[in-house]
Amino acid sequence: MSPAYTVRVAEDPADREACFAVRKEVLAARSEPGADPEIVDRVLRHLDVRSLR
């Protein structure tokens, strides 16, 4: 199954900074009541792949 979105590589510093800011917020949301840890982990994996390419 292919994703319903296109993954774009975060090449410039502003894109990477944005990815890290999103990652920080996602980690904070993980500890909120009702957060699904599996979904959070999946989002984090996508962010990590995107920022490391």
Side-chain angles (χ1 to χ4, degrees):
M1 183 165 119
S2 63
Y5 55 88
T6 301
V7 175
R8 185 176 59 88
V9 178
E11 292 180 352
D12 73 59
D15 285 343
R16 288 192 182 169
E17 186 174 333
C19 283
F20 289 125
V22 169
R23 190 177 202 290
K24 180 179 176 181
E25 292 301 318
V26 169
L27 283 171
R30 190 174 202 265
S31 63
E32 292 181 5
D36 184 341
E38 288 185 33
I39 293 174
V40 172
D41 291 344
R42 199 174 322 152
V43 169
L44 291 173
R45 278 193 298 276
H46 286 290
L47 288 171
D48 290 344
V49 168
R50 181 176 174 179
S51 64
L52 293 175
R53 286 186 178 174

